[in-house]
Amino acid sequence: MDFGLSDEERAIRDTARDFITREVMPLEQELLRRERAHQPGLERSELRELQLKARKFGFWGLATPAEYGGMDLPAVVQSLIWTEIGRSFVPFRFGGEADNILFHATEEQRQEFLLPTIEGERNSCFAITEPGAGSDAANIRFRARRDGDDWILNGEKTFITGGNEADFAIVIAVTDPERGARDGGATAFLVDRAMGWRSEFIPTMGEGGPASLFFDDVRVPNRNILGEVGQGFTLAMQWIGKGRYTIPSHAVGIAERALRMAIDHANTRETFGARIGTNQAIQWMIADSETELEAARWLILRAAWTVDAGLDPRHASSMAKLYGAGMVNRVVDRVMQIHGGMGYTRELPIERWYRQVRLYRIFEGTDEMQRLIISRDLLRGYTKLGGHLG
Ligand SMILES: Cc1cc2nc3c(=O)[nH]c(=O)nc-3n(C[C@H](O)[C@H](O)[C@H](O)COP(=O)(O)OP(=O)(O)OC[C@H]3O[C@@H](n4cnc5c(N)ncnc54)[C@H](O)[C@@H]3O)c2cc1C
């Protein structure tokens, strides 16, 4: 068994690490200063500038197919890169990406939505959650009613990431209330903001924030259906599936950086005439954090490997998301404890991580939903104990 990286994987990972270290991390102190002053941490134009700089290093469209100018990287390499991104708390991501389901676009939709999104000229958001349907996403009520060559959309979507900034929304709507969303009753629509929906920012405990989207008789032409009529729920699950290994990959980067800070602090801070790292209480927090971090790393890489191997990745990805999200919360909590009062201030990024990573246990499938998937797979005999080795 070989747990190592190939030369190519290592080279790509190291180049990404280099870029994050040299171009992104130097912005961190300014980011904290701005956030303390209640200003946006990173302006859209600054993010774009960084992304274009990264493009010169070849980092453009990690998941985007080569025919669209992307890197089309295997999931394992994407996971490694998301871990590198997580090492900095600057909200950076590489450019050249589009929501994975946008690649189901027709030729006309490609020109109007997909290509400008990849180029960073247009911003999208993905909307399935409603005030009455989150975990139970198949219970959506947001309605699209046929009217000649158009559809009329009515309803509210909520907690939509980027919903306040988006130029267009990918909206999952009920097109056939007789059938369940899971059974062909839901459809995905590409809806320009100019078509008449409005958004309202939702303040949260994290930086930035999602939005509610309101549709009141919004008329959308039939040509704006993404994929097929009735395929909406399948597309939505495909969208959500991607985050189940990228979110915990990002969490590993955060946890590693935070744990590094805790180790340095434990080696320098003195109380009662000795470094705090000489206390078993502190040593155990460091040991538990490192152990959980490693366990998460391998669960996540296996989930990504499962994607690359063409196997059904859902079970492995749910375990990776569940464990990775819990791990980063526990590690950041311990890192704050090790830093004492300083950990709680806005001089350091720890309290920021503390607020940020709490979300990881909630969005794109809560802890409880991941447990539901994992146990259901086992109880109905779909998944064998022992994974792909079993
Ligand atoms: C910052 C943020 C960004 C988001 N971005 C997006 C986005 O871009 N697009 C989008 O569509 N959505 C987005 N969401 C929505 C997110 O996916 C939902 O909040 C999440 O799926 C949970 O749904 P809910 O909030 O309705 O909670 P609920 O479904 O009401 O659940 C409440 C609690 O009950 C638990 N629970 C529910 N059912 C069960 C059960 N059967 N067994 C055990 N426990 C159960 C849940 O795990 C949770 O703990 C975002 C949310 C947030 C907070």
Side-chain angles (χ1 to χ4, degrees):
M1 187 171 286
D2 181 3
F3 286 93
L5 298 178
S6 69
D7 289 347
E8 194 188 354
E9 287 165 342
R10 188 176 294 280
I12 297 174
R13 196 275 313 266
D14 288 351
T15 314
R17 180 173 293 181
D18 236 43
F19 184 82
I20 299 293
T21 309
R22 280 196 287 118
E23 304 291 345
V24 180
M25 285 183 178
L27 305 175
E28 290 181 343
Q29 290 313 312
E30 172 62 10
L31 181 102
L32 288 182
R33 192 198 61 73
R34 285 185 196 173
E35 288 183 348
R36 282 196 297 270
H38 305 289
Q39 292 162 355
L42 193 66
E43 299 285 352
R44 193 164 153 177
S45 59
E46 292 172 313
L47 172 64
R48 181 127 176 86
E49 199 181 310
L50 278 173
Q51 290 176 336
L52 292 176
K53 210 178 258 184
R55 190 177 198 172
K56 291 194 187 134
F57 285 76
F59 283 96
W60 187 254
L62 307 183
T64 303
E67 60 181 299
Y68 296 102
M71 298 172 85
D72 200 10
L73 292 170
V76 164
V77 182
Q78 289 185 53
S79 167
L80 294 170
I81 294 176
W82 275 104
T83 295
E84 296 309 318
I85 296 171
R87 285 182 210 283
S88 175
F89 50 86
V90 174
F92 171 77
R93 59 182 189 280
F94 288 110
E97 297 277 324
D99 298 271
N100 56 354
I101 59 174
L102 262 187
F103 290 93
H104 290 272
T106 60
E107 184 47 43
E108 198 180 345
Q109 291 168 349
R110 267 184 205 140
Q111 302 303 327
E112 199 178 339
F113 298 99
L114 177 63
L115 299 180
T117 303
I118 291 173
E119 283 306 313
E121 292 153 7
R122 302 197 76 192
N123 280 337
S124 65
C125 65
F126 169 83
I128 185 164
T129 304
E130 299 176 8
S135 302
D136 187 10
N139 195 33
I140 52 171
R141 294 281 181 264
F142 185 106
R143 188 75 167 90
R145 189 171 41 79
R146 186 92 202 223
D147 183 36
D149 281 345
D150 297 334
W151 295 78
I152 310 295
L153 272 55
N154 276 293
E156 179 182 341
K157 295 290 182 185
T158 194
F159 292 129
I160 307 308
T161 302
N164 229 17
E165 299 80 33
D167 303 302
F168 70 95
I170 306 169
V171 184
I172 311 296
V174 174
T175 39
D176 184 351
E178 301 297 310
R179 309 167 85 158
R182 245 181 252 283
D183 299 316
T187 302
F189 290 86
L190 298 168
V191 195
D192 277 306
R193 189 180 285 270
M195 287 174 175
W197 56 270
R198 63 182 182 82
S199 62
E200 261 174 34
F201 179 78
I202 305 172
T204 64
M205 71 191 270
E207 312 305 327
S212 289
L213 315 186
F214 301 94
F215 289 67
D216 187 9
D217 283 339
V218 173
R219 183 172 285 274
V220 182
N222 197 44
R223 64 184 154 77
N224 279 35
I225 285 177
L226 180 65
E228 307 285 328
V229 172
Q231 205 192 0
F233 198 76
T234 309
L235 291 178
M237 291 307 109
Q238 195 182 325
W239 184 91
I240 286 168
K242 177 96 200 299
R244 297 224 163 130
Y245 74 89
T246 53
I247 292 168
S249 303
H250 193 248
V252 164
I254 295 174
E256 273 191 10
R257 176 87 183 275
L259 185 56
R260 182 73 258 160
M261 284 175 63
I263 294 167
D264 291 345
H265 192 69
N267 275 332
T268 48
R269 176 75 175 168
E270 291 194 1
T271 62
F272 305 97
R275 284 174 289 113
I276 58 169
T278 58
N279 296 297
Q280 195 178 58
I282 303 288
Q283 292 163 0
W284 285 18
M285 282 197 268
I286 291 173
D288 288 348
S289 297
E290 162 71 340
T291 307
E292 291 179 29
L293 185 46
E294 274 306 293
R297 187 193 317 281
W298 295 111
L299 268 179
I300 295 158
L301 285 173
R302 184 172 81 89
W305 172 87
T306 310
V307 173
D308 293 336
L311 304 169
D312 182 347
R314 284 174 296 181
H315 191 79
S317 300
S318 283
M319 289 196 292
K321 165 81 166 53
L322 171 66
Y323 193 78
M327 175 279 294
V328 74
N329 275 272
R330 292 187 295 275
V331 169
V332 168
D333 183 68
R334 292 184 196 118
V335 169
M336 184 178 283
Q337 196 66 17
I338 290 171
H339 279 79
M342 272 311 289
Y344 195 64
T345 70
R346 294 199 161 195
E347 294 299 309
L348 298 178
I350 303 168
E351 67 80 35
R352 188 183 190 284
W353 280 321
Y354 192 85
R355 289 179 288 114
Q356 177 190 348
V357 302
R358 189 60 185 82
L359 176 63
Y360 292 14
R361 295 183 50 207
I362 297 173
F363 75 166
E364 299 193 26
T366 61
D367 283 1
E368 292 73 25
M369 289 304 105
Q370 308 308 337
R371 289 193 174 99
L372 198 90
I373 293 166
I374 297 161
S375 58
R376 190 183 52 202
D377 285 349
L378 290 168
L379 288 166
R380 69 184 166 127
Y382 178 70
T383 306
K384 278 196 244 125
L385 289 175
H388 67 282
L389 301 179

